Amino acid sequence: MKARLLPILLLALAGGSARAAEVALPPAPPPAFPDTESTTNAPLPAAIVARARLVKARVALVATPSNNVQVSFGASRDPGGPLVQGDESLAFGWDAGAWFVASPTGRAEEPPAVAAEGAAARALVLSMRLAESGRPVAFEAREEGATNALFAPLSAAPPEWLFSRGWNAARVDVRGTDPRGDEAASVRLDTDAGILILR
């Protein structure tokens, strides 16, 4: 079971010290209880999180009017262990027909993106540029394949809760009674602030 907590992919770039890391979270297993909830976790590389200047996170799923798929980041009470419900400081994903970005102190939602019936493959990508302190200075969210940016208030004034250098774990939660399919989540952290340009 411990192997399920390991990231599928961890890339270290550059010679002596890692400058970037990409973590793909393992797929959530089928639900074991009638509440339909299923969860999977992965550790984040603390050395890269502590120096990250660019963050790119992605969630993909078969979106329906009733399902919920969210990616959460936070500080695990047991380094290398799971991120306990309630310990997340940022969550984003799909909930009952709409994209959302949330923290324990706030939530931003977009208008519903699907009709009352139906399912479609969709993906949301969040991109951030960070100050040396870790404070977000630029934020962008886009649905893959779409031209318009989402969550305009967060882009206009990125709140501090969008990122923390204290993060050491990520979690994916899947809920809902609609048929599941192809949930995938990943995060890329770069220490070189010159790699990514946010528009």
Side-chain angles (χ1 to χ4, degrees), residues 109-175:
E109 286 188 2
E110 288 292 313
V114 297
E117 295 182 7
R122 308 179 92 101
L124 179 67
V125 178
L126 307 184
S127 300
M128 285 182 270
R129 185 164 51 85
L130 310 172
E132 190 171 351
S133 65
R135 180 179 58 83
V137 295
F139 172 86
E140 181 181 271
R142 288 186 187 272
E143 182 170 344
E144 285 187 352
T147 56
N148 60 309
L150 304 175
F151 306 107
L154 298 183
S155 297
E160 291 192 14
W161 52 258
L162 284 171
F163 182 80
S164 170
R165 296 221 183 273
W167 290 351
N168 62 10
R171 187 184 73 237
V172 176
D173 297 303
V174 181
R175 307 174 185 90

Side-chain angles (χ1 to χ4, degrees), residues 3-151:
R4 296 194 63 82
L5 299 179
L6 296 176
I8 294 174
L9 179 64
L10 179 63
L11 295 177
L13 304 178
S17 59
R19 294 177 56 208
E22 185 167 345
V23 177
L25 279 78
F33 301 101
D35 65 3
T36 75
E37 184 170 320
S38 179
T39 298
T40 188
N41 290 265
L44 297 177
I48 302 293
V49 172
R51 304 192 327 272
R53 299 296 298 277
L54 301 165
V55 180
K56 188 171 187 178
R58 178 182 184 270
V59 62
L61 67 148
V62 175
T64 76
S66 66
N67 65 338
N68 170 250
V69 178
Q70 74 175 44
V71 182
S72 301
F73 299 98
S76 170
R77 302 176 190 185
D78 175 20
L83 180 62
V84 176
Q85 294 274 356
D87 285 352
E88 57 280 313
S89 58
L90 170 68
F92 76 98
W94 179 267
D95 188 20
W99 295 116
F100 75 93
V101 176
S103 79
T105 58
R107 183 179 174 103
E109 286 188 2
E110 288 292 313
V114 297
E117 295 182 7
R122 308 179 92 101
L124 179 67
V125 178
L126 307 184
S127 300
M128 285 182 270
R129 185 164 51 85
L130 310 172
E132 190 171 351
S133 65
R135 180 179 58 83
V137 295
F139 172 86
E140 181 181 271
R142 288 186 187 272
E143 182 170 344
E144 285 187 352
T147 56
N148 60 309
L150 304 175
F151 306 107

